[in-house]
Coordinates of all heavy atoms in Angstrom, one line a residue:
M1 N -7.8 -9.4 -11.9 CA -7.8 -9.0 -10.5 C -7.3 -7.6 -10.5 O -6.4 -7.2 -11.2 CB -7.0 -9.9 -9.6 CG -7.6 -11.2 -9.6 SD -7.0 -12.2 -8.2 CE -7.6 -13.7 -8.7
N2 N -7.8 -6.8 -9.6 CA -7.5 -5.4 -9.6 C -7.3 -4.9 -8.1 O -7.8 -5.5 -7.2 CB -8.6 -4.5 -10.2 CG -8.8 -4.8 -11.6 OD1 -7.9 -4.6 -12.4 ND2 -10.0 -5.3 -12.0
I3 N -6.6 -3.8 -8.0 CA -6.6 -3.0 -6.8 C -7.0 -1.5 -7.2 O -6.9 -1.1 -8.3 CB -5.3 -3.0 -6.0 CG1 -4.2 -2.4 -6.9 CG2 -5.0 -4.4 -5.5 CD1 -2.8 -2.3 -6.0
V4 N -7.6 -0.8 -6.2 CA -8.0 0.5 -6.5 C -7.1 1.5 -5.7 O -6.9 1.3 -4.5 CB -9.5 0.7 -6.0 CG1 -9.9 2.1 -6.2 CG2 -10.4 -0.3 -6.8
I5 N -6.6 2.4 -6.4 CA -5.7 3.4 -5.8 C -6.3 4.8 -5.8 O -6.7 5.3 -6.8 CB -4.4 3.5 -6.6 CG1 -3.7 2.1 -6.9 CG2 -3.4 4.4 -6.0 CD1 -3.3 1.4 -5.7
K6 N -6.4 5.3 -4.6 CA -6.9 6.7 -4.5 C -5.7 7.6 -4.3 O -4.9 7.4 -3.4 CB -7.9 6.8 -3.3 CG -9.1 6.0 -3.5 CD -10.0 6.2 -2.3 CE -11.2 5.3 -2.3 NZ -12.0 5.4 -1.1
M7 N -5.6 8.6 -5.1 CA -4.5 9.6 -5.0 C -4.9 10.6 -3.9 O -6.1 10.9 -3.6 CB -4.3 10.3 -6.3 CG -4.0 9.3 -7.5 SD -2.5 8.3 -7.2 CE -1.3 9.5 -7.7
P8 N -3.9 11.3 -3.3 CA -4.2 12.3 -2.3 C -5.1 13.4 -2.8 O -5.9 14.0 -2.0 CB -2.9 12.9 -1.9 CG -1.9 11.8 -2.2 CD -2.4 11.1 -3.4
D9 N -5.1 13.7 -4.1 CA -6.0 14.7 -4.7 C -7.4 14.2 -5.0 O -8.2 15.0 -5.5 CB -5.4 15.3 -5.9 CG -5.3 14.4 -7.1 OD1 -5.7 13.2 -7.0 OD2 -4.8 14.7 -8.2
G10 N -7.7 13.0 -4.7 CA -9.0 12.4 -4.9 C -9.2 11.6 -6.2 O -10.2 10.9 -6.3
E11 N -8.2 11.7 -7.1 CA -8.3 10.9 -8.3 C -8.3 9.4 -7.9 O -7.5 9.0 -7.0 CB -7.1 11.2 -9.2 CG -7.2 10.4 -10.5 CD -5.8 10.4 -11.2 OE1 -4.9 11.2 -10.9 OE2 -5.6 9.6 -12.2
T12 N -9.1 8.6 -8.6 CA -9.1 7.1 -8.3 C -8.7 6.4 -9.5 O -9.2 6.7 -10.6 CB -10.5 6.7 -7.8 OG1 -10.8 7.4 -6.6 CG2 -10.6 5.2 -7.6
R13 N -7.9 5.4 -9.4 CA -7.4 4.5 -10.5 C -7.6 3.1 -10.1 O -7.2 2.7 -9.0 CB -6.0 4.8 -10.8 CG -5.7 6.2 -11.4 CD -4.3 6.4 -11.7 NE -3.8 5.5 -12.6 CZ -2.5 5.6 -13.2 NH1 -1.7 6.5 -12.8 NH2 -2.1 4.7 -14.0
E14 N -8.1 2.3 -11.0 CA -8.2 0.9 -10.9 C -7.1 0.2 -11.7 O -7.1 0.5 -12.9 CB -9.6 0.4 -11.3 CG -9.9 -1.1 -10.9 CD -11.3 -1.4 -11.0 OE1 -12.2 -0.6 -10.9 OE2 -11.6 -2.6 -11.3
I15 N -6.3 -0.5 -11.1 CA -5.1 -1.1 -11.8 C -5.1 -2.6 -11.6 O -5.5 -3.1 -10.6 CB -3.8 -0.4 -11.4 CG1 -3.5 -0.7 -9.9 CG2 -3.8 1.0 -11.7 CD1 -2.2 -0.1 -9.4
E16 N -4.5 -3.2 -12.7 CA -4.5 -4.7 -12.7 C -3.4 -5.2 -11.7 O -2.3 -4.6 -11.6 CB -4.1 -5.2 -14.1 CG -4.3 -6.7 -14.2 CD -4.1 -7.1 -15.7 OE1 -4.3 -6.3 -16.6 OE2 -3.8 -8.3 -15.9
A17 N -3.8 -6.2 -10.9 CA -2.9 -6.7 -9.9 C -2.3 -8.1 -10.2 O -3.1 -8.9 -10.8 CB -3.6 -6.7 -8.6
T18 N -1.1 -8.4 -9.9 CA -0.5 -9.6 -10.1 C -0.3 -10.4 -8.8 O 0.3 -9.8 -7.9 CB 0.9 -9.4 -10.8 OG1 0.7 -8.7 -12.0 CG2 1.5 -10.8 -11.1
I19 N -0.8 -11.6 -8.8 CA -0.7 -12.4 -7.6 C 0.8 -12.6 -7.2 O 1.6 -12.9 -8.1 CB -1.4 -13.8 -7.8 CG1 -2.9 -13.6 -7.9 CG2 -1.1 -14.7 -6.6 CD1 -3.6 -14.8 -8.4
G20 N 1.2 -12.5 -6.0 CA 2.5 -12.7 -5.5 C 3.4 -11.4 -5.5 O 4.5 -11.5 -5.0
W21 N 2.9 -10.4 -6.1 CA 3.6 -9.1 -6.1 C 3.3 -8.3 -4.9 O 2.2 -8.4 -4.4 CB 3.3 -8.3 -7.4 CG 3.9 -8.7 -8.6 CD1 4.3 -10.0 -9.0 CD2 4.2 -7.9 -9.8 NE1 4.8 -10.0 -10.3 CE2 4.7 -8.7 -10.8 CE3 4.0 -6.5 -10.1 CZ2 5.1 -8.2 -12.0 CZ3 4.4 -6.1 -11.3 CH2 4.9 -6.9 -12.3
Q22 N 4.3 -7.5 -4.5 CA 4.0 -6.5 -3.4 C 3.0 -5.5 -4.0 O 3.1 -5.1 -5.2 CB 5.2 -5.8 -3.0 CG 6.3 -6.7 -2.4 CD 7.6 -5.9 -2.2 OE1 7.8 -4.8 -2.8 NE2 8.5 -6.5 -1.4
V23 N 2.1 -5.0 -3.1 CA 1.2 -4.0 -3.6 C 1.9 -2.7 -4.1 O 1.6 -2.1 -5.1 CB 0.2 -3.6 -2.5 CG1 -0.6 -2.3 -2.8 CG2 -0.8 -4.8 -2.3
M24 N 3.1 -2.4 -3.4 CA 3.9 -1.3 -3.9 C 4.4 -1.6 -5.4 O 4.3 -0.7 -6.2 CB 5.1 -1.2 -3.0 CG 6.1 -0.1 -3.4 SD 7.3 -0.7 -4.7 CE 8.4 -1.7 -3.7
E25 N 4.8 -2.8 -5.7 CA 5.3 -3.1 -7.0 C 4.1 -2.9 -8.0 O 4.3 -2.5 -9.2 CB 5.8 -4.5 -7.1 CG 7.0 -4.8 -6.3 CD 7.4 -6.3 -6.3 OE1 6.6 -7.1 -5.9 OE2 8.5 -6.6 -6.6
I26 N 2.9 -3.3 -7.6 CA 1.8 -3.2 -8.5 C 1.5 -1.8 -8.8 O 1.2 -1.4 -10.0 CB 0.6 -3.9 -7.9 CG1 0.8 -5.5 -7.8 CG2 -0.7 -3.7 -8.7 CD1 -0.1 -6.2 -6.9
I27 N 1.5 -0.9 -7.8 CA 1.3 0.5 -8.0 C 2.3 1.1 -8.9 O 2.0 1.8 -9.8 CB 1.3 1.2 -6.6 CG1 0.1 0.7 -5.7 CG2 1.2 2.7 -6.7 CD1 0.2 1.1 -4.3
K28 N 3.6 0.8 -8.6 CA 4.7 1.4 -9.4 C 4.6 0.9 -10.9 O 4.8 1.7 -11.8 CB 6.0 0.9 -8.8 CG 7.2 1.8 -9.1 CD 8.4 1.4 -8.3 CE 9.5 2.3 -8.4 NZ 9.5 3.5 -7.5
N29 N 4.4 -0.4 -11.1 CA 4.3 -0.9 -12.4 C 3.2 -0.3 -13.2 O 3.3 -0.3 -14.5 CB 4.1 -2.5 -12.3 CG 4.2 -3.1 -13.6 OD1 5.3 -3.0 -14.3 ND2 3.2 -3.8 -14.1
A30 N 2.2 0.2 -12.6 CA 1.0 0.9 -13.3 C 1.4 2.3 -13.6 O 0.5 3.0 -14.2 CB -0.2 0.8 -12.4
G31 N 2.6 2.8 -13.3 CA 2.9 4.1 -13.6 C 2.6 5.2 -12.6 O 2.7 6.4 -12.8
V32 N 2.0 4.7 -11.5 CA 1.7 5.7 -10.4 C 3.1 6.1 -9.7 O 3.9 5.2 -9.4 CB 0.8 5.0 -9.4 CG1 0.5 6.0 -8.2 CG2 -0.5 4.6 -10.0
P33 N 3.3 7.4 -9.6 CA 4.6 7.8 -9.1 C 4.9 7.7 -7.6 O 5.2 8.6 -6.9 CB 4.7 9.3 -9.5 CG 3.3 9.7 -9.5 CD 2.4 8.5 -9.9
I34 N 4.7 6.4 -7.1 CA 5.0 6.2 -5.7 C 6.5 6.2 -5.5 O 7.2 5.7 -6.3 CB 4.4 4.8 -5.2 CG1 4.5 4.6 -3.7 CG2 4.9 3.7 -6.0 CD1 3.6 3.5 -3.2
R35 N 7.0 6.8 -4.4 CA 8.5 6.9 -4.2 C 9.1 5.6 -4.0 O 10.1 5.2 -4.6 CB 8.7 7.9 -3.1 CG 8.5 9.3 -3.5 CD 8.5 10.3 -2.3 NE 9.7 10.3 -1.5 CZ 9.8 10.6 -0.3 NH1 8.7 11.1 0.4 NH2 10.9 10.6 0.4
A36 N 8.7 4.9 -3.0 CA 9.2 3.5 -2.7 C 10.7 3.5 -2.8 O 11.3 2.6 -3.5 CB 8.5 2.5 -3.6
E37 N 11.4 4.3 -2.1 CA 12.8 4.6 -2.3 C 13.7 3.4 -2.0 O 14.8 3.2 -2.5 CB 13.3 5.8 -1.5 CG 12.7 7.1 -2.1 CD 12.9 8.3 -1.3 OE1 13.5 8.2 -0.1 OE2 12.5 9.4 -1.7
C38 N 13.3 2.5 -1.0 CA 14.2 1.4 -0.7 C 13.9 0.1 -1.6 O 14.5 -0.9 -1.4 CB 14.1 1.0 0.8 SG 12.6 0.1 1.2
G39 N 12.9 0.2 -2.5 CA 12.7 -0.9 -3.4 C 11.9 -2.0 -2.7 O 12.0 -3.1 -3.3
G40 N 11.3 -1.8 -1.6 CA 10.5 -2.8 -1.0 C 11.1 -3.6 0.1 O 10.7 -4.7 0.5
A41 N 12.2 -3.0 0.7 CA 13.0 -3.7 1.8 C 12.5 -3.3 3.2 O 13.2 -3.6 4.1 CB 14.4 -3.3 1.6
C42 N 11.4 -2.6 3.3 CA 10.9 -2.1 4.6 C 11.9 -1.2 5.3 O 12.1 -1.4 6.5 CB 10.5 -3.3 5.4 SG 9.4 -2.8 6.8
A43 N 12.5 -0.3 4.5 CA 13.6 0.5 5.1 C 13.4 2.0 4.8 O 14.4 2.7 4.9 CB 14.9 0.0 4.6
C44 N 12.2 2.4 4.3 CA 12.1 3.8 4.0 C 10.8 4.5 4.3 O 10.7 5.7 4.5 CB 12.4 4.0 2.5 SG 11.1 3.5 1.4
A45 N 9.7 3.8 4.4 CA 8.3 4.3 4.6 C 7.8 5.2 3.6 O 6.8 5.9 3.8 CB 8.3 4.9 6.0
T46 N 8.4 5.2 2.4 CA 7.9 6.1 1.3 C 7.0 5.3 0.4 O 6.8 5.7 -0.8 CB 9.1 6.7 0.5 OG1 9.9 5.7 0.0 CG2 9.9 7.7 1.3
C47 N 6.4 4.2 0.9 CA 5.4 3.5 0.2 C 4.1 3.5 1.0 O 3.3 2.6 0.9 CB 5.8 2.1 -0.2 SG 6.1 1.1 1.2
H48 N 4.0 4.4 1.9 CA 2.9 4.5 2.9 C 1.6 4.7 2.2 O 1.4 5.6 1.4 CB 3.3 5.7 3.8 CG 2.3 6.0 4.9 ND1 2.3 7.2 5.5 CD2 1.2 5.3 5.4 CE1 1.3 7.3 6.4 NE2 0.6 6.1 6.3
V49 N 0.6 3.9 2.6 CA -0.8 4.0 2.1 C -1.7 3.9 3.3 O -1.4 3.4 4.4 CB -1.1 2.9 1.1 CG1 -0.2 3.0 -0.2 CG2 -1.0 1.5 1.7
Y50 N -2.9 4.4 3.0 CA -4.0 4.2 4.0 C -5.0 3.2 3.4 O -5.5 3.3 2.3 CB -4.8 5.5 4.3 CG -3.9 6.6 4.8 CD1 -3.4 7.6 3.9 CD2 -3.4 6.6 6.1 CE1 -2.6 8.6 4.3 CE2 -2.6 7.6 6.5 CZ -2.2 8.6 5.7 OH -1.3 9.6 6.1
V51 N -5.3 2.1 4.2 CA -6.1 1.0 3.7 C -7.6 1.4 4.0 O -7.9 1.8 5.1 CB -5.7 -0.3 4.4 CG1 -6.7 -1.4 4.0 CG2 -4.3 -0.7 4.1
D52 N -8.5 1.2 3.0 CA -9.9 1.5 3.3 C -10.4 0.6 4.4 O -10.0 -0.6 4.5 CB -10.7 1.3 2.0 CG -10.8 2.6 1.2 OD1 -9.9 3.4 1.2 OD2 -11.8 2.7 0.4
A53 N -11.3 1.1 5.2 CA -11.8 0.5 6.4 C -12.3 -1.0 6.1 O -12.1 -1.9 6.8 CB -12.9 1.3 7.0
A54 N -13.0 -1.1 4.9 CA -13.6 -2.4 4.6 C -12.5 -3.5 4.4 O -12.8 -4.7 4.5 CB -14.4 -2.3 3.3
W55 N -11.3 -3.1 4.2 CA -10.2 -4.1 4.0 C -9.3 -4.3 5.2 O -8.5 -5.2 5.2 CB -9.4 -3.6 2.8 CG -10.1 -3.8 1.5 CD1 -10.9 -2.8 0.9 CD2 -10.2 -5.0 0.7 NE1 -11.4 -3.4 -0.2 CE2 -11.0 -4.7 -0.4 CE3 -9.7 -6.2 0.9 CZ2 -11.3 -5.6 -1.3 CZ3 -10.0 -7.2 -0.1 CH2 -10.8 -6.9 -1.2
M56 N -9.4 -3.5 6.2 CA -8.5 -3.6 7.3 C -8.4 -5.0 8.0 O -7.3 -5.5 8.3 CB -8.9 -2.6 8.4 CG -8.5 -1.2 8.1 SD -6.7 -1.0 7.9 CE -6.1 -1.3 9.6
D57 N -9.6 -5.7 8.1 CA -9.5 -7.0 8.8 C -9.2 -8.1 7.8 O -9.0 -9.2 8.3 CB -10.9 -7.3 9.4 CG -11.2 -6.3 10.5 OD1 -10.3 -5.7 11.1 OD2 -12.4 -6.2 10.9
R58 N -9.0 -7.8 6.6 CA -8.7 -8.8 5.6 C -7.2 -8.9 5.2 O -6.8 -9.7 4.4 CB -9.6 -8.6 4.4 CG -11.1 -8.7 4.7 CD -12.0 -8.0 3.8 NE -12.2 -8.7 2.6 CZ -13.0 -8.2 1.6 NH1 -13.8 -7.1 1.8 NH2 -13.2 -8.9 0.5
L59 N -6.5 -8.0 5.8 CA -5.0 -8.0 5.6 C -4.3 -8.7 6.7 O -4.7 -8.6 7.9 CB -4.5 -6.6 5.5 CG -5.0 -5.8 4.3 CD1 -4.4 -4.4 4.4 CD2 -4.5 -6.4 3.0
P60 N -3.2 -9.4 6.4 CA -2.4 -9.9 7.5 C -1.9 -8.7 8.4 O -1.7 -7.6 7.9 CB -1.2 -10.5 6.8 CG -1.5 -10.6 5.4 CD -2.6 -9.6 5.1
P61 N -1.8 -8.9 9.7 CA -1.4 -7.8 10.6 C 0.1 -7.3 10.3 O 0.8 -8.1 9.7 CB -1.5 -8.4 12.0 CG -1.4 -9.9 11.8 CD -2.0 -10.2 10.4
R62 N 0.3 -6.1 10.7 CA 1.7 -5.6 10.5 C 2.7 -6.4 11.3 O 2.4 -6.8 12.4 CB 1.8 -4.2 11.1 CG 1.1 -3.1 10.4 CD 1.4 -1.8 11.2 NE 0.5 -0.8 10.8 CZ 0.2 0.2 11.7 NH1 0.7 0.3 12.9 NH2 -0.7 1.2 11.3
K63 N 3.9 -6.6 10.8 CA 5.0 -7.2 11.5 C 5.7 -6.0 12.3 O 5.5 -4.9 11.9 CB 6.0 -7.9 10.6 CG 5.4 -9.1 10.0 CD 6.4 -9.9 9.2 CE 5.8 -11.1 8.6 NZ 6.3 -11.5 7.3
D64 N 6.5 -6.4 13.3 CA 7.1 -5.4 14.1 C 8.0 -4.4 13.2 O 8.0 -3.2 13.4 CB 8.0 -6.0 15.1 CG 7.2 -6.7 16.2 OD1 6.0 -6.4 16.3 OD2 7.8 -7.4 17.0
E65 N 8.7 -5.0 12.2 CA 9.6 -4.1 11.4 C 8.8 -3.1 10.6 O 9.2 -2.0 10.4 CB 10.5 -4.9 10.5 CG 9.7 -5.8 9.5 CD 10.7 -6.8 8.8 OE1 11.8 -6.9 9.2 OE2 10.2 -7.3 7.8
E66 N 7.6 -3.5 10.2 CA 6.7 -2.5 9.5 C 6.2 -1.4 10.4 O 6.3 -0.2 10.1 CB 5.5 -3.2 8.8 CG 4.6 -2.3 8.0 CD 3.4 -3.0 7.4 OE1 3.3 -4.2 7.6 OE2 2.6 -2.3 6.9
T67 N 5.8 -1.8 11.6 CA 5.4 -0.8 12.6 C 6.5 0.1 13.0 O 6.3 1.3 13.0 CB 4.9 -1.5 13.9 OG1 3.8 -2.4 13.5 CG2 4.4 -0.6 14.9
D68 N 7.7 -0.4 13.1 CA 8.9 0.4 13.5 C 9.2 1.4 12.3 O 9.5 2.6 12.6 CB 10.1 -0.4 13.7 CG 10.1 -1.2 15.0 OD1 9.1 -1.0 15.8 OD2 10.9 -2.1 15.2
M69 N 9.1 1.0 11.1 CA 9.4 1.9 10.0 C 8.3 2.9 9.8 O 8.5 4.1 9.5 CB 9.5 1.1 8.7 CG 10.1 1.8 7.5 SD 11.7 2.7 7.9 CE 12.7 1.4 8.5
L70 N 7.0 2.6 10.1 CA 5.9 3.5 10.0 C 6.1 4.6 11.1 O 5.6 5.7 10.9 CB 4.6 2.8 10.2 CG 3.9 2.3 8.9 CD1 2.8 1.4 9.3 CD2 3.5 3.4 8.0
D71 N 6.8 4.3 12.1 CA 7.1 5.4 13.1 C 7.9 6.6 12.5 O 7.8 7.7 13.1 CB 7.9 4.8 14.3 CG 7.0 4.0 15.2 OD1 5.8 4.1 15.2 OD2 7.6 3.2 16.1
M72 N 8.5 6.3 11.4 CA 9.3 7.4 10.7 C 8.5 8.2 9.7 O 8.9 9.2 9.2 CB 10.5 6.7 9.9 CG 11.2 5.7 10.6 SD 12.5 6.4 11.6 CE 13.4 5.0 12.1
A73 N 7.3 7.7 9.4 CA 6.4 8.3 8.4 C 5.6 9.5 9.0 O 5.4 9.5 10.3 CB 5.5 7.3 7.8
L74 N 5.1 10.3 8.2 CA 4.3 11.4 8.6 C 2.8 11.0 8.5 O 2.5 10.1 7.8 CB 4.5 12.6 7.6 CG 5.9 13.2 7.5 CD1 5.9 14.2 6.4 CD2 6.3 13.8 8.8
S75 N 2.0 11.6 9.4 CA 0.5 11.4 9.3 C 0.1 10.0 9.4 O -0.7 9.5 8.5 CB 0.0 12.1 8.0 OG 0.4 13.4 8.0
V76 N 0.7 9.2 10.3 CA 0.3 7.8 10.4 C -1.0 7.7 11.1 O -1.2 8.3 12.1 CB 1.5 7.1 11.2 CG1 1.1 5.6 11.4 CG2 2.8 7.1 10.4
E77 N -1.8 6.8 10.6 CA -3.1 6.5 11.2 C -3.2 5.0 11.5 O -2.4 4.2 11.1 CB -4.3 6.9 10.2 CG -4.2 8.3 9.7 CD -4.6 9.4 10.7 OE1 -5.1 9.0 11.8 OE2 -4.3 10.6 10.5
D78 N -4.3 4.6 12.1 CA -4.5 3.2 12.5 C -4.5 2.3 11.2 O -4.2 1.2 11.2 CB -5.8 3.0 13.2 CG -5.7 3.6 14.6 OD1 -4.6 3.8 15.1 OD2 -6.8 3.7 15.3
N79 N -5.0 2.9 10.1 CA -5.1 2.2 8.8 C -3.9 2.3 7.9 O -3.9 2.0 6.8 CB -6.4 2.5 8.1 CG -6.4 4.0 7.7 OD1 -5.7 4.8 8.2 ND2 -7.2 4.3 6.7
S80 N -2.8 2.9 8.5 CA -1.6 3.0 7.7 C -0.9 1.7 7.5 O -0.8 0.9 8.5 CB -0.6 4.0 8.4 OG -1.0 5.3 8.4
R81 N -0.4 1.5 6.3 CA 0.4 0.3 6.0 C 1.5 0.7 5.0 O 1.4 1.7 4.3 CB -0.4 -0.8 5.4 CG -1.5 -1.4 6.2 CD -0.9 -2.2 7.4 NE 0.0 -3.2 7.1 CZ -0.3 -4.5 7.1 NH1 -1.5 -4.9 7.4 NH2 0.6 -5.4 6.7
L82 N 2.6 -0.1 5.0 CA 3.6 0.1 4.0 C 3.2 -0.9 2.9 O 3.1 -2.1 3.1 CB 5.0 -0.3 4.5 CG 5.5 0.6 5.6 CD1 6.9 0.2 6.1 CD2 5.5 2.1 5.2
S83 N 3.0 -0.3 1.7 CA 2.4 -1.1 0.6 C 3.4 -2.2 0.1 O 3.0 -3.2 -0.5 CB 2.0 -0.3 -0.6 OG 3.0 0.5 -1.1
C84 N 4.7 -2.1 0.5 CA 5.6 -3.1 0.1 C 5.5 -4.3 1.0 O 6.1 -5.4 0.7 CB 7.1 -2.6 0.0 SG 7.8 -2.3 1.6
Q85 N 4.8 -4.2 2.1 CA 4.7 -5.3 3.1 C 3.4 -6.0 2.9 O 3.0 -6.8 3.7 CB 4.9 -4.7 4.5 CG 6.3 -4.1 4.7 CD 7.4 -5.1 4.4 OE1 7.5 -6.2 5.0 NE2 8.2 -4.8 3.4
I86 N 2.6 -5.7 1.9 CA 1.4 -6.4 1.6 C 1.6 -7.1 0.3 O 1.8 -6.5 -0.8 CB 0.2 -5.4 1.4 CG1 0.0 -4.5 2.7 CG2 -1.1 -6.2 1.2 CD1 -0.9 -3.4 2.5
V87 N 1.5 -8.4 0.3 CA 1.7 -9.2 -0.9 C 0.3 -9.5 -1.4 O -0.6 -9.9 -0.7 CB 2.5 -10.5 -0.6 CG1 2.5 -11.4 -1.8 CG2 3.9 -10.2 -0.1
F88 N 0.1 -9.3 -2.7 CA -1.2 -9.4 -3.3 C -1.6 -10.9 -3.5 O -0.8 -11.7 -4.0 CB -1.3 -8.7 -4.7 CG -2.7 -8.8 -5.2 CD1 -3.7 -7.9 -4.8 CD2 -3.0 -9.7 -6.2 CE1 -5.0 -8.0 -5.3 CE2 -4.3 -9.8 -6.7 CZ -5.3 -8.9 -6.2
E89 N -2.7 -11.3 -2.9 CA -3.2 -12.6 -3.0 C -4.7 -12.5 -3.6 O -5.3 -11.5 -3.6 CB -3.3 -13.3 -1.7 CG -1.9 -13.4 -1.0 CD -1.0 -14.4 -1.6 OE1 -1.4 -15.1 -2.6 OE2 0.2 -14.4 -1.3
P90 N -5.2 -13.6 -4.2 CA -6.5 -13.5 -4.8 C -7.6 -13.0 -3.9 O -8.5 -12.3 -4.4 CB -6.8 -15.0 -5.2 CG -5.5 -15.6 -5.3 CD -4.6 -14.9 -4.3
E91 N -7.5 -13.2 -2.6 CA -8.6 -12.7 -1.7 C -8.5 -11.2 -1.5 O -9.4 -10.6 -0.9 CB -8.5 -13.5 -0.4 CG -7.2 -13.4 0.4 CD -6.3 -14.5 0.1 OE1 -6.4 -15.1 -1.0 OE2 -5.4 -14.8 0.9
L92 N -7.4 -10.6 -2.1 CA -7.3 -9.1 -2.0 C -7.8 -8.5 -3.3 O -7.6 -7.2 -3.4 CB -5.9 -8.7 -1.7 CG -5.3 -9.2 -0.4 CD1 -3.9 -8.7 -0.2 CD2 -6.2 -8.8 0.8
D93 N -8.5 -9.2 -4.1 CA -9.0 -8.6 -5.4 C -10.0 -7.5 -5.0 O -10.9 -7.7 -4.2 CB -9.8 -9.7 -6.2 CG -10.3 -9.1 -7.5 OD1 -9.7 -8.2 -8.0 OD2 -11.2 -9.7 -8.1
G94 N -9.7 -6.3 -5.5 CA -10.5 -5.1 -5.1 C -10.0 -4.3 -4.0 O -10.6 -3.2 -3.6
L95 N -8.9 -4.7 -3.4 CA -8.2 -3.9 -2.3 C -8.1 -2.4 -2.7 O -7.8 -2.1 -3.8 CB -6.8 -4.5 -2.1 CG -6.0 -3.7 -1.1 CD1 -6.5 -3.8 0.3 CD2 -4.5 -4.2 -1.1
T96 N -8.5 -1.6 -1.7 CA -8.6 -0.2 -2.0 C -7.7 0.6 -1.0 O -7.9 0.4 0.2 CB -10.0 0.3 -1.9 OG1 -10.8 -0.4 -2.8 CG2 -10.1 1.8 -2.2
V97 N -6.7 1.3 -1.5 CA -5.8 2.1 -0.7 C -5.7 3.5 -1.2 O -5.8 3.8 -2.3 CB -4.4 1.4 -0.6 CG1 -4.5 0.0 0.0 CG2 -3.7 1.4 -1.9
T98 N -5.4 4.4 -0.2 CA -5.1 5.8 -0.6 C -3.6 6.1 -0.4 O -3.1 5.7 0.7 CB -5.9 6.7 0.3 OG1 -7.3 6.4 0.1 CG2 -5.7 8.2 0.0
L99 N -3.0 6.6 -1.4 CA -1.6 7.0 -1.2 C -1.4 8.1 -0.2 O -2.1 9.1 -0.3 CB -0.9 7.4 -2.5 CG -0.2 6.2 -3.2 CD1 -1.1 5.1 -3.7 CD2 0.6 6.8 -4.4
A100 N -0.4 8.0 0.7 CA -0.1 9.1 1.6 C 0.6 10.2 0.8 O 1.3 9.9 -0.2 CB 0.8 8.6 2.7
E101 N 0.4 11.4 1.2 CA 1.1 12.6 0.5 C 2.6 12.4 0.4 O 3.2 12.7 -0.6 CB 0.9 13.9 1.3 CG -0.6 14.4 1.3 CD -0.8 15.3 0.2 OE1 0.1 15.5 -0.7 OE2 -1.9 15.8 0.1
D102 N 3.2 11.8 1.5 CA 4.7 11.7 1.5 C 5.1 10.5 0.7 O 6.3 10.2 0.7 CB 5.2 11.7 2.9 CG 4.5 10.6 3.8 OD1 3.4 10.3 3.6 OD2 5.2 10.0 4.7
S103 N 4.2 9.8 0.1 CA 4.7 8.6 -0.8 C 4.8 9.1 -2.2 O 5.2 8.2 -3.0 CB 3.6 7.5 -0.7 OG 3.6 7.0 0.7
L104 N 4.5 10.3 -2.5 CA 4.6 10.8 -3.9 C 5.8 11.7 -4.1 O 6.2 12.3 -3.2 CB 3.3 11.5 -4.3 CG 2.1 10.6 -4.4 CD1 0.8 11.5 -4.6 CD2 2.2 9.6 -5.6
Ligands
FES1 S1 9.4 0.7 -0.4 FE1 10.6 1.3 1.3 S2 9.5 0.7 3.0 FE2 8.3 0.1 1.3

């Protein structure tokens, strides 16, 4: 199972995903330099990603704490998510996200 990561400069990487891991952990484990400063505690917004349109309806909705933390991030869009708040499940095989500039 994989997820697809698009870098802000347009580079695309397909990386192996582990069920039950946060998407942030999967990205970091693959060597992508995502900041993720709070380690996945929903307390920093430096794991901000943009979810591709095709996947928006397939993710669980944001919880209030994620929305509150995204208020601290730059360039937030409707498809913004904190990648530490998305747990990878088999139905997310192929999930495609773009890293926000401020997450690097
Ligand atoms: S790693 Fe800090 S909010 Fe996701």
Side-chain angles (χ1 to χ4, degrees):
M1 295 197 193
N2 295 300
I3 60 175
V4 177
I5 308 298
K6 296 180 186 174
M7 305 298 280
D9 66 2
E11 181 196 348
T12 298
R13 294 178 58 172
E14 191 167 330
I15 59 179
E16 192 172 336
T18 303
I19 295 167
W21 283 26
Q22 297 170 346
V23 169
M24 177 277 285
E25 295 175 305
I26 294 167
I27 295 170
K28 205 175 187 80
N29 190 57
V32 177
I34 187 169
R35 287 168 56 202
E37 289 171 358
C38 77
C42 197
C44 72
T46 57
C47 64
H48 176 197
V49 297
Y50 302 104
V51 176
D52 268 28
W55 287 93
M56 282 298 291
D57 293 340
R58 295 154 79 175
L59 293 177
R62 288 181 199 153
K63 292 186 178 145
D64 289 347
E65 59 188 13
E66 181 182 357
T67 300
D68 290 349
M69 194 50 57
L70 273 168
D71 284 344
M72 314 275 189
L74 302 173
S75 306
V76 174
E77 306 287 348
D78 289 344
N79 63 339
S80 289
R81 294 294 303 259
L82 296 179
S83 57
C84 71
Q85 298 303 299
I86 305 169
V87 174
F88 185 79
E89 300 292 351
E91 58 268 27
L92 298 183
D93 186 22
L95 173 69
T96 302
V97 300
T98 301
L99 261 67
E101 292 269 5
D102 56 326
S103 294
L104 292 173

